[in-house]
Amino acid sequence: MSEDKTPLYDDKILEGYEYDGITEYDNPCPVWLLYIFYFTALLAVFFLGYHFGGNSKNATIEAYAIKLKEAQTQTPVETSVQKPEVNESELLALLQDPDALAEGGEIFGDQCALCHGYSGEGMIGPNLIDNYWLHGKGKISDIAVSISSGIPDKGMAAWADRIPEQQILHIAAYIKSINGTVTENAKEPDGELVEE
Amino acid sequence: MSSSNDTNSGLIQVKYNDQIVRMFTLATIFWATIAFLVGIIIALQMAVPQLNLTGWLTFGRLRPLHTNAALFAFAGNAIFAGIYHSTQRLLKTRLFSDGLSKLHFWGWQFIIVLAVITLPLGISQGKEYAELEWPIDISIVLIWVVFAINFFGTLLRRNERHLYVAIWFYIATIVTVALLYIVNAICIPVGLFQSYIVYAGIQDALIQWWYGHNAVAFFLTTPFLGLMYYYLPKASNRPVYSYRLSVVHFWSLIFMYIWAGPHHLLNTALPGWLQILATVFSVMLWAPSWGGAVNGILTLRGAWHLLRTDPIIKFFVAAITFYAMATFEGPLLSIKAVNSLGHYTDWIVGHVHLGTLGWNGFLTFGMLYFIVPKLWNTELYSKKMANIHLWIGILGILFYYVSMLAAGITQGLMWRAVDANGQLVYPDFVETVIRIIPLFLFRALGGVLFLAGYVLLLYNVYKTIKQAPKELVEETVQVRISSSTPIHPERGHRKLEGMAAAFTILALIAILVGSIIEIAPTLSINKYVKTENKVEPFTPLELAGRDIYVKEGCYTCHSQMIRTIQSDVLRYGAASTIEESMYDRPFQWGSKRTGPDLARLGKKYPDLWHYMHMEDPRAVIKESIMPAYPWLITSKIDFDSLQKKVSLFNKLGVPYSDEDLSDANNRAKEQAKKIADVLKSQGVKEDVSDKKITALIAYLQALGQKGGE
């Protein structure tokens, strides 16, 4: 047996058992480790009681159902996406601004055409040249809101983080300006008809 | 020793089989390199999706390669090297059979090569850590049996009456892994490269995670604890701190571990009692797990100076520390409330790597630095280099873990953020992805550091072996045949340690209790499936699409399980039910949401959206990190095999109509034509009526549309 194995502390080596030079002390399990075990066992009893003792096994599901209901019945709080602080008549002036429209058209071709078609006739996304709107009433500000906050559930991301607000307004004006044009392969209308 | 004045017992010479240990050692070192490299590639792909260069290099296929390589190739070979090396010495005998040892070695390497070829080809069973197809499964089981015979044969020829604690852990490992692997892999082949698992939906989920969790327990924990119990006292030359602690924590660990599997399915459609059992046993695992860590660390009492001078001891201490961290975090993550935040996020990925890189990696590195010089009769080439390896490695692990913890919690909080109107604050999934991409890069950096440290090991080992003497002699020892009767009468555990067979059977019983109680009820009766909720099976074309989903490994990024928590329901729709996946083979509930849940994806988007999104996700969602799948548009659907698959499913109890049964092939073609025609009218130029994309779209549009809610 190797020399430097003189027990430190008052550990006692278990005599008669040696495996390839390895011996073992006869120490007890550390007390604090046992306390951890008792603690987790208590926790376990608590979890079990919570689960089986409660009068409903679906406590979690019910809790969230209640929460959901509460949230829905509350009066809507002002949403985080605000409508641009500009009035519609100011925006309509953009329709007379060829630079703004050109810029809007360019971005539309780059970013939007793949889903809405080059002429706004609709593909993945809805037709933007008819007078039917899913979101809002087809005013420039409505269109701008759809663009900024997106319709993530339906596959259009929010653009507010990626396109500056000014340019979003220009795109919206561009869409408004092509509204009413006619192309052959236009997609069926979606949403509600808005009478001008 | 007790036998110091023994004169009449005979001395025999025992020559150890070190050649096989050398072979497994080199294999460990080689495969570790591959596993780490693939890990870094997929880590980078998460941040830079353009790195998904071609089909066989996409994330969905490489991720299974990474996990399988880490588990079976790196950890597997390390375990075999360590077990063969230590067992011979602990039992004072040569391995049972040189032939079986060689067969074991070459068989295992052959299996790994097959895995390296088939996984990138998309040949996969679609079950995590059990992706390998049935011919490889069979080979694994056969080679495992060879290993078991070789090991237990050695046990029977031992010249040491008692089994040391390391051997207990080896026994538990061998028995349990065999059981887990076989039960989880039972499937029905439909071709050389494809099969369907016999379990469906919830049964499959339960068995998969019973397996998956216990792969961690009995492949990454118990064998490594055994290795720790041998190499730590050897390297530090100190007695083990407490024999009694060894006994208590060994039995409590293996008994309790097996119950914890369903903690991978918390807040899902799994019956509540299984979830609570998993939580309870996971939480109670804290102390037994720490038992091993404490026994390891306290063994070093009185040898603390080694912690300054000996890199091997440093690696062991770091490994045990990481083990203690991971086994504290595990119980924490098993509490439902914590789990609802962490599950499906990168936190879990961080947790796993704390264990694999920290515990398995570092313990193996320590072991390699210890045995390589011994096996090659020389000194370690450079201690200093080993020290640098240690510190770079620790840095790498911390980078990895901290960035994944931050990514997981950030994304988890974003997913559940709800405003005062009860609306999601981040309804756009990709927003929650963009936020953590920088952390993905940090993680990759952590991986690079870890690999950089490992390269030092490669060089160090190379130089060590190079300076070794030409002729390697196998270690020979004089063994005194101990008399078969013990010196003094023995009771209790000491007596059991002398009875290898009884010990093995008891260990088997310990792991069978939890297994049977949890799994049997779901297998014997379909008691959890409400039959009044009628569920339509997938049409033949959708089935073909599902096969593509499985083969491409979409489940590595997408779940199909809406949990019973508010934010999941808000984001994805009503919580998933057991019925909805009752015909799913394999189940695809998933374990990670790098992308959104797809359980109720059907009808959300038009077909064209999916077409364009699959061809190039970034054309539709600019910041998407999903790989592009352009080859799905050009490669063809395997219509011919559908007939066979449908009738197999029918035999397994899936209610297909007579038309589907008699004419699956044509029914699929009809459905595909319809989809392709619509796509064409919307501007898709190619005719895709016989292309994989069409089958996949059919499947995606069917998700959540089959009833059973």
mmCIF file with all atom_site columns, all heavy atoms in Angstrom, chain B residues 43-48 399 403-404 436-448:
data_model
loop_
_atom_site.group_PDB
_atom_site.id
_atom_site.type_symbol
_atom_site.label_atom_id
_atom_site.label_alt_id
_atom_site.label_comp_id
_atom_site.label_asym_id
_atom_site.label_entity_id
_atom_site.label_seq_id
_atom_site.pdbx_PDB_ins_code
_atom_site.Cartn_x
_atom_site.Cartn_y
_atom_site.Cartn_z
_atom_site.occupancy
_atom_site.B_iso_or_equiv
_atom_site.pdbx_formal_charge
_atom_site.auth_seq_id
_atom_site.auth_comp_id
_atom_site.auth_asym_id
_atom_site.auth_atom_id
_atom_site.pdbx_PDB_model_num
ATOM 1   N N   . ALA B 1 43  ? -23.872 24.999 -34.881 1.00 0.00 ? 43  ALA B N   1
ATOM 2   C CA  . ALA B 1 43  ? -24.021 26.217 -34.072 1.00 0.00 ? 43  ALA B CA  1
ATOM 3   C C   . ALA B 1 43  ? -23.967 27.434 -34.982 1.00 0.00 ? 43  ALA B C   1
ATOM 4   O O   . ALA B 1 43  ? -24.749 28.379 -34.828 1.00 0.00 ? 43  ALA B O   1
ATOM 5   C CB  . ALA B 1 43  ? -22.927 26.296 -33.020 1.00 0.00 ? 43  ALA B CB  1
ATOM 6   N N   . LEU B 1 44  ? -23.066 27.406 -35.959 1.00 0.00 ? 44  LEU B N   1
ATOM 7   C CA  . LEU B 1 44  ? -22.967 28.542 -36.880 1.00 0.00 ? 44  LEU B CA  1
ATOM 8   C C   . LEU B 1 44  ? -24.183 28.619 -37.795 1.00 0.00 ? 44  LEU B C   1
ATOM 9   O O   . LEU B 1 44  ? -24.645 29.707 -38.143 1.00 0.00 ? 44  LEU B O   1
ATOM 10  C CB  . LEU B 1 44  ? -21.682 28.437 -37.703 1.00 0.00 ? 44  LEU B CB  1
ATOM 11  C CG  . LEU B 1 44  ? -20.410 28.761 -36.901 1.00 0.00 ? 44  LEU B CG  1
ATOM 12  C CD1 . LEU B 1 44  ? -19.165 28.383 -37.688 1.00 0.00 ? 44  LEU B CD1 1
ATOM 13  C CD2 . LEU B 1 44  ? -20.380 30.234 -36.529 1.00 0.00 ? 44  LEU B CD2 1
ATOM 14  N N   . GLN B 1 45  ? -24.704 27.453 -38.181 1.00 0.00 ? 45  GLN B N   1
ATOM 15  C CA  . GLN B 1 45  ? -25.885 27.462 -39.051 1.00 0.00 ? 45  GLN B CA  1
ATOM 16  C C   . GLN B 1 45  ? -27.078 28.149 -38.390 1.00 0.00 ? 45  GLN B C   1
ATOM 17  O O   . GLN B 1 45  ? -27.924 28.721 -39.062 1.00 0.00 ? 45  GLN B O   1
ATOM 18  C CB  . GLN B 1 45  ? -26.278 26.021 -39.420 1.00 0.00 ? 45  GLN B CB  1
ATOM 19  C CG  . GLN B 1 45  ? -25.356 25.405 -40.453 1.00 0.00 ? 45  GLN B CG  1
ATOM 20  C CD  . GLN B 1 45  ? -25.703 23.958 -40.731 1.00 0.00 ? 45  GLN B CD  1
ATOM 21  O OE1 . GLN B 1 45  ? -26.265 23.267 -39.890 1.00 0.00 ? 45  GLN B OE1 1
ATOM 22  N NE2 . GLN B 1 45  ? -25.367 23.482 -41.924 1.00 0.00 ? 45  GLN B NE2 1
ATOM 23  N N   . MET B 1 46  ? -27.128 28.089 -37.071 1.00 0.00 ? 46  MET B N   1
ATOM 24  C CA  . MET B 1 46  ? -28.241 28.738 -36.365 1.00 0.00 ? 46  MET B CA  1
ATOM 25  C C   . MET B 1 46  ? -28.176 30.249 -36.516 1.00 0.00 ? 46  MET B C   1
ATOM 26  O O   . MET B 1 46  ? -29.199 30.929 -36.467 1.00 0.00 ? 46  MET B O   1
ATOM 27  C CB  . MET B 1 46  ? -28.191 28.402 -34.875 1.00 0.00 ? 46  MET B CB  1
ATOM 28  C CG  . MET B 1 46  ? -28.344 26.964 -34.558 1.00 0.00 ? 46  MET B CG  1
ATOM 29  S SD  . MET B 1 46  ? -30.038 26.441 -34.400 1.00 0.00 ? 46  MET B SD  1
ATOM 30  C CE  . MET B 1 46  ? -30.525 27.207 -32.884 1.00 0.00 ? 46  MET B CE  1
ATOM 31  N N   . ALA B 1 47  ? -26.967 30.773 -36.646 1.00 0.00 ? 47  ALA B N   1
ATOM 32  C CA  . ALA B 1 47  ? -26.842 32.221 -36.773 1.00 0.00 ? 47  ALA B CA  1
ATOM 33  C C   . ALA B 1 47  ? -26.776 32.639 -38.238 1.00 0.00 ? 47  ALA B C   1
ATOM 34  O O   . ALA B 1 47  ? -27.236 33.717 -38.608 1.00 0.00 ? 47  ALA B O   1
ATOM 35  C CB  . ALA B 1 47  ? -25.605 32.704 -36.034 1.00 0.00 ? 47  ALA B CB  1
ATOM 36  N N   . VAL B 1 48  ? -26.199 31.797 -39.071 1.00 0.00 ? 48  VAL B N   1
ATOM 37  C CA  . VAL B 1 48  ? -26.008 32.127 -40.484 1.00 0.00 ? 48  VAL B CA  1
ATOM 38  C C   . VAL B 1 48  ? -26.631 31.014 -41.329 1.00 0.00 ? 48  VAL B C   1
ATOM 39  O O   . VAL B 1 48  ? -25.963 30.063 -41.705 1.00 0.00 ? 48  VAL B O   1
ATOM 40  C CB  . VAL B 1 48  ? -24.499 32.241 -40.820 1.00 0.00 ? 48  VAL B CB  1
ATOM 41  C CG1 . VAL B 1 48  ? -24.302 32.799 -42.212 1.00 0.00 ? 48  VAL B CG1 1
ATOM 42  C CG2 . VAL B 1 48  ? -23.785 33.092 -39.786 1.00 0.00 ? 48  VAL B CG2 1
ATOM 43  N N   . PHE B 1 399 ? -18.762 30.242 -21.843 1.00 0.00 ? 399 PHE B N   1
ATOM 44  C CA  . PHE B 1 399 ? -19.326 30.996 -22.968 1.00 0.00 ? 399 PHE B CA  1
ATOM 45  C C   . PHE B 1 399 ? -20.578 30.297 -23.471 1.00 0.00 ? 399 PHE B C   1
ATOM 46  O O   . PHE B 1 399 ? -21.605 30.911 -23.702 1.00 0.00 ? 399 PHE B O   1
ATOM 47  C CB  . PHE B 1 399 ? -18.311 31.061 -24.117 1.00 0.00 ? 399 PHE B CB  1
ATOM 48  C CG  . PHE B 1 399 ? -17.577 32.356 -24.171 1.00 0.00 ? 399 PHE B CG  1
ATOM 49  C CD1 . PHE B 1 399 ? -16.651 32.683 -23.193 1.00 0.00 ? 399 PHE B CD1 1
ATOM 50  C CD2 . PHE B 1 399 ? -17.789 33.246 -25.206 1.00 0.00 ? 399 PHE B CD2 1
ATOM 51  C CE1 . PHE B 1 399 ? -15.971 33.874 -23.244 1.00 0.00 ? 399 PHE B CE1 1
ATOM 52  C CE2 . PHE B 1 399 ? -17.101 34.441 -25.265 1.00 0.00 ? 399 PHE B CE2 1
ATOM 53  C CZ  . PHE B 1 399 ? -16.188 34.759 -24.283 1.00 0.00 ? 399 PHE B CZ  1
ATOM 54  N N   . SER B 1 403 ? -24.323 31.948 -22.659 1.00 0.00 ? 403 SER B N   1
ATOM 55  C CA  . SER B 1 403 ? -25.066 32.512 -23.787 1.00 0.00 ? 403 SER B CA  1
ATOM 56  C C   . SER B 1 403 ? -26.360 31.744 -24.027 1.00 0.00 ? 403 SER B C   1
ATOM 57  O O   . SER B 1 403 ? -27.386 32.343 -24.356 1.00 0.00 ? 403 SER B O   1
ATOM 58  C CB  . SER B 1 403 ? -24.202 32.553 -25.052 1.00 0.00 ? 403 SER B CB  1
ATOM 59  O OG  . SER B 1 403 ? -23.686 31.291 -25.334 1.00 0.00 ? 403 SER B OG  1
ATOM 60  N N   . MET B 1 404 ? -26.353 30.438 -23.828 1.00 0.00 ? 404 MET B N   1
ATOM 61  C CA  . MET B 1 404 ? -27.585 29.679 -24.036 1.00 0.00 ? 404 MET B CA  1
ATOM 62  C C   . MET B 1 404 ? -28.604 29.941 -22.933 1.00 0.00 ? 404 MET B C   1
ATOM 63  O O   . MET B 1 404 ? -29.804 29.993 -23.182 1.00 0.00 ? 404 MET B O   1
ATOM 64  C CB  . MET B 1 404 ? -27.266 28.179 -24.100 1.00 0.00 ? 404 MET B CB  1
ATOM 65  C CG  . MET B 1 404 ? -26.592 27.752 -25.378 1.00 0.00 ? 404 MET B CG  1
ATOM 66  S SD  . MET B 1 404 ? -27.632 27.946 -26.855 1.00 0.00 ? 404 MET B SD  1
ATOM 67  C CE  . MET B 1 404 ? -27.203 29.567 -27.401 1.00 0.00 ? 404 MET B CE  1
ATOM 68  N N   . ILE B 1 436 ? -31.965 36.857 -30.294 1.00 0.00 ? 436 ILE B N   1
ATOM 69  C CA  . ILE B 1 436 ? -30.955 35.976 -29.680 1.00 0.00 ? 436 ILE B CA  1
ATOM 70  C C   . ILE B 1 436 ? -29.863 35.543 -30.658 1.00 0.00 ? 436 ILE B C   1
ATOM 71  O O   . ILE B 1 436 ? -28.969 34.784 -30.281 1.00 0.00 ? 436 ILE B O   1
ATOM 72  C CB  . ILE B 1 436 ? -31.614 34.725 -29.046 1.00 0.00 ? 436 ILE B CB  1
ATOM 73  C CG1 . ILE B 1 436 ? -32.425 33.943 -30.075 1.00 0.00 ? 436 ILE B CG1 1
ATOM 74  C CG2 . ILE B 1 436 ? -32.504 35.127 -27.886 1.00 0.00 ? 436 ILE B CG2 1
ATOM 75  C CD1 . ILE B 1 436 ? -32.964 32.648 -29.518 1.00 0.00 ? 436 ILE B CD1 1
ATOM 76  N N   . ILE B 1 437 ? -29.909 36.047 -31.888 1.00 0.00 ? 437 ILE B N   1
ATOM 77  C CA  . ILE B 1 437 ? -28.870 35.625 -32.837 1.00 0.00 ? 437 ILE B CA  1
ATOM 78  C C   . ILE B 1 437 ? -27.456 35.976 -32.370 1.00 0.00 ? 437 ILE B C   1
ATOM 79  O O   . ILE B 1 437 ? -26.545 35.157 -32.493 1.00 0.00 ? 437 ILE B O   1
ATOM 80  C CB  . ILE B 1 437 ? -29.189 36.150 -34.250 1.00 0.00 ? 437 ILE B CB  1
ATOM 81  C CG1 . ILE B 1 437 ? -30.341 35.308 -34.815 1.00 0.00 ? 437 ILE B CG1 1
ATOM 82  C CG2 . ILE B 1 437 ? -27.980 36.065 -35.172 1.00 0.00 ? 437 ILE B CG2 1
ATOM 83  C CD1 . ILE B 1 437 ? -30.787 35.687 -36.180 1.00 0.00 ? 437 ILE B CD1 1
ATOM 84  N N   . PRO B 1 438 ? -27.257 37.166 -31.774 1.00 0.00 ? 438 PRO B N   1
ATOM 85  C CA  . PRO B 1 438 ? -25.901 37.444 -31.262 1.00 0.00 ? 438 PRO B CA  1
ATOM 86  C C   . PRO B 1 438 ? -25.457 36.385 -30.245 1.00 0.00 ? 438 PRO B C   1
ATOM 87  O O   . PRO B 1 438 ? -24.281 36.006 -30.214 1.00 0.00 ? 438 PRO B O   1
ATOM 88  C CB  . PRO B 1 438 ? -26.050 38.812 -30.590 1.00 0.00 ? 438 PRO B CB  1
ATOM 89  C CG  . PRO B 1 438 ? -27.252 39.430 -31.198 1.00 0.00 ? 438 PRO B CG  1
ATOM 90  C CD  . PRO B 1 438 ? -28.158 38.317 -31.596 1.00 0.00 ? 438 PRO B CD  1
ATOM 91  N N   . LEU B 1 439 ? -26.406 35.908 -29.460 1.00 0.00 ? 439 LEU B N   1
ATOM 92  C CA  . LEU B 1 439 ? -26.055 34.885 -28.467 1.00 0.00 ? 439 LEU B CA  1
ATOM 93  C C   . LEU B 1 439 ? -25.682 33.565 -29.143 1.00 0.00 ? 439 LEU B C   1
ATOM 94  O O   . LEU B 1 439 ? -24.845 32.814 -28.655 1.00 0.00 ? 439 LEU B O   1
ATOM 95  C CB  . LEU B 1 439 ? -27.207 34.689 -27.482 1.00 0.00 ? 439 LEU B CB  1
ATOM 96  C CG  . LEU B 1 439 ? -27.463 35.904 -26.591 1.00 0.00 ? 439 LEU B CG  1
ATOM 97  C CD1 . LEU B 1 439 ? -28.796 35.799 -25.868 1.00 0.00 ? 439 LEU B CD1 1
ATOM 98  C CD2 . LEU B 1 439 ? -26.335 36.061 -25.582 1.00 0.00 ? 439 LEU B CD2 1
ATOM 99  N N   . PHE B 1 440 ? -26.319 33.302 -30.276 1.00 0.00 ? 440 PHE B N   1
ATOM 100 C CA  . PHE B 1 440 ? -25.931 32.106 -31.045 1.00 0.00 ? 440 PHE B CA  1
ATOM 101 C C   . PHE B 1 440 ? -24.463 32.197 -31.455 1.00 0.00 ? 440 PHE B C   1
ATOM 102 O O   . PHE B 1 440 ? -23.736 31.209 -31.459 1.00 0.00 ? 440 PHE B O   1
ATOM 103 C CB  . PHE B 1 440 ? -26.794 31.962 -32.308 1.00 0.00 ? 440 PHE B CB  1
ATOM 104 C CG  . PHE B 1 440 ? -28.191 31.467 -32.037 1.00 0.00 ? 440 PHE B CG  1
ATOM 105 C CD1 . PHE B 1 440 ? -29.204 31.699 -32.952 1.00 0.00 ? 440 PHE B CD1 1
ATOM 106 C CD2 . PHE B 1 440 ? -28.498 30.762 -30.886 1.00 0.00 ? 440 PHE B CD2 1
ATOM 107 C CE1 . PHE B 1 440 ? -30.494 31.241 -32.720 1.00 0.00 ? 440 PHE B CE1 1
ATOM 108 C CE2 . PHE B 1 440 ? -29.784 30.301 -30.638 1.00 0.00 ? 440 PHE B CE2 1
ATOM 109 C CZ  . PHE B 1 440 ? -30.784 30.543 -31.565 1.00 0.00 ? 440 PHE B CZ  1
ATOM 110 N N   . LEU B 1 441 ? -24.062 33.405 -31.821 1.00 0.00 ? 441 LEU B N   1
ATOM 111 C CA  . LEU B 1 441 ? -22.658 33.579 -32.235 1.00 0.00 ? 441 LEU B CA  1
ATOM 112 C C   . LEU B 1 441 ? -21.717 33.369 -31.049 1.00 0.00 ? 441 LEU B C   1
ATOM 113 O O   . LEU B 1 441 ? -20.670 32.740 -31.175 1.00 0.00 ? 441 LEU B O   1
ATOM 114 C CB  . LEU B 1 441 ? -22.460 34.957 -32.853 1.00 0.00 ? 441 LEU B CB  1
ATOM 115 C CG  . LEU B 1 441 ? -23.074 35.097 -34.254 1.00 0.00 ? 441 LEU B CG  1
ATOM 116 C CD1 . LEU B 1 441 ? -23.079 36.540 -34.707 1.00 0.00 ? 441 LEU B CD1 1
ATOM 117 C CD2 . LEU B 1 441 ? -22.321 34.226 -35.264 1.00 0.00 ? 441 LEU B CD2 1
ATOM 118 N N   . PHE B 1 442 ? -22.121 33.876 -29.881 1.00 0.00 ? 442 PHE B N   1
ATOM 119 C CA  . PHE B 1 442 ? -21.306 33.659 -28.682 1.00 0.00 ? 442 PHE B CA  1
ATOM 120 C C   . PHE B 1 442 ? -21.182 32.176 -28.376 1.00 0.00 ? 442 PHE B C   1
ATOM 121 O O   . PHE B 1 442 ? -20.129 31.679 -27.998 1.00 0.00 ? 442 PHE B O   1
ATOM 122 C CB  . PHE B 1 442 ? -21.929 34.362 -27.477 1.00 0.00 ? 442 PHE B CB  1
ATOM 123 C CG  . PHE B 1 442 ? -21.409 35.741 -27.274 1.00 0.00 ? 442 PHE B CG  1
ATOM 124 C CD1 . PHE B 1 442 ? -22.163 36.844 -27.604 1.00 0.00 ? 442 PHE B CD1 1
ATOM 125 C CD2 . PHE B 1 442 ? -20.137 35.932 -26.764 1.00 0.00 ? 442 PHE B CD2 1
ATOM 126 C CE1 . PHE B 1 442 ? -21.675 38.120 -27.437 1.00 0.00 ? 442 PHE B CE1 1
ATOM 127 C CE2 . PHE B 1 442 ? -19.635 37.209 -26.593 1.00 0.00 ? 442 PHE B CE2 1
ATOM 128 C CZ  . PHE B 1 442 ? -20.402 38.305 -26.929 1.00 0.00 ? 442 PHE B CZ  1
ATOM 129 N N   . ARG B 1 443 ? -22.280 31.477 -28.539 1.00 0.00 ? 443 ARG B N   1
ATOM 130 C CA  . ARG B 1 443 ? -22.264 30.049 -28.284 1.00 0.00 ? 443 ARG B CA  1
ATOM 131 C C   . ARG B 1 443 ? -21.271 29.355 -29.222 1.00 0.00 ? 443 ARG B C   1
ATOM 132 O O   . ARG B 1 443 ? -20.488 28.502 -28.804 1.00 0.00 ? 443 ARG B O   1
ATOM 133 C CB  . ARG B 1 443 ? -23.676 29.485 -28.466 1.00 0.00 ? 443 ARG B CB  1
ATOM 134 C CG  . ARG B 1 443 ? -23.793 28.006 -28.241 1.00 0.00 ? 443 ARG B CG  1
ATOM 135 C CD  . ARG B 1 443 ? -23.867 27.186 -29.514 1.00 0.00 ? 443 ARG B CD  1
ATOM 136 N NE  . ARG B 1 443 ? -25.000 27.507 -30.338 1.00 0.00 ? 443 ARG B NE  1
ATOM 137 C CZ  . ARG B 1 443 ? -26.186 26.909 -30.238 1.00 0.00 ? 443 ARG B CZ  1
ATOM 138 N NH1 . ARG B 1 443 ? -26.371 25.996 -29.342 1.00 0.00 ? 443 ARG B NH1 1
ATOM 139 N NH2 . ARG B 1 443 ? -27.152 27.244 -31.054 1.00 0.00 ? 443 ARG B NH2 1
ATOM 140 N N   . ALA B 1 444 ? -21.331 29.757 -30.487 1.00 0.00 ? 444 ALA B N   1
ATOM 141 C CA  . ALA B 1 444 ? -20.411 29.145 -31.442 1.00 0.00 ? 444 ALA B CA  1
ATOM 142 C C   . ALA B 1 444 ? -18.966 29.431 -31.027 1.00 0.00 ? 444 ALA B C   1
ATOM 143 O O   . ALA B 1 444 ? -18.090 28.565 -31.118 1.00 0.00 ? 444 ALA B O   1
ATOM 144 C CB  . ALA B 1 444 ? -20.681 29.678 -32.849 1.00 0.00 ? 444 ALA B CB  1
ATOM 145 N N   . LEU B 1 445 ? -18.738 30.638 -30.528 1.00 0.00 ? 445 LEU B N   1
ATOM 146 C CA  . LEU B 1 445 ? -17.403 30.981 -30.059 1.00 0.00 ? 445 LEU B CA  1
ATOM 147 C C   . LEU B 1 445 ? -17.001 30.056 -28.895 1.00 0.00 ? 445 LEU B C   1
ATOM 148 O O   . LEU B 1 445 ? -15.869 29.562 -28.839 1.00 0.00 ? 445 LEU B O   1
ATOM 149 C CB  . LEU B 1 445 ? -17.371 32.449 -29.621 1.00 0.00 ? 445 LEU B CB  1
ATOM 150 C CG  . LEU B 1 445 ? -16.044 32.949 -29.081 1.00 0.00 ? 445 LEU B CG  1
ATOM 151 C CD1 . LEU B 1 445 ? -14.975 32.892 -30.170 1.00 0.00 ? 445 LEU B CD1 1
ATOM 152 C CD2 . LEU B 1 445 ? -16.178 34.380 -28.564 1.00 0.00 ? 445 LEU B CD2 1
ATOM 153 N N   . GLY B 1 446 ? -17.948 29.825 -27.994 1.00 0.00 ? 446 GLY B N   1
ATOM 154 C CA  . GLY B 1 446 ? -17.691 28.885 -26.901 1.00 0.00 ? 446 GLY B CA  1
ATOM 155 C C   . GLY B 1 446 ? -17.275 27.525 -27.437 1.00 0.00 ? 446 GLY B C   1
ATOM 156 O O   . GLY B 1 446 ? -16.318 26.909 -26.958 1.00 0.00 ? 446 GLY B O   1
ATOM 157 N N   . GLY B 1 447 ? -17.990 27.071 -28.463 1.00 0.00 ? 447 GLY B N   1
ATOM 158 C CA  . GLY B 1 447 ? -17.659 25.781 -29.072 1.00 0.00 ? 447 GLY B CA  1
ATOM 159 C C   . GLY B 1 447 ? -16.268 25.793 -29.691 1.00 0.00 ? 447 GLY B C   1
ATOM 160 O O   . GLY B 1 447 ? -15.503 24.833 -29.555 1.00 0.00 ? 447 GLY B O   1
ATOM 161 N N   . VAL B 1 448 ? -15.930 26.904 -30.345 1.00 0.00 ? 448 VAL B N   1
ATOM 162 C CA  . VAL B 1 448 ? -14.616 26.994 -30.976 1.00 0.00 ? 448 VAL B CA  1
ATOM 163 C C   . VAL B 1 448 ? -13.515 26.931 -29.913 1.00 0.00 ? 448 VAL B C   1
ATOM 164 O O   . VAL B 1 448 ? -12.501 26.240 -30.073 1.00 0.00 ? 448 VAL B O   1
ATOM 165 C CB  . VAL B 1 448 ? -14.504 28.289 -31.810 1.00 0.00 ? 448 VAL B CB  1
ATOM 166 C CG1 . VAL B 1 448 ? -13.068 28.523 -32.252 1.00 0.00 ? 448 VAL B CG1 1
ATOM 167 C CG2 . VAL B 1 448 ? -15.426 28.215 -33.022 1.00 0.00 ? 448 VAL B CG2 1
#
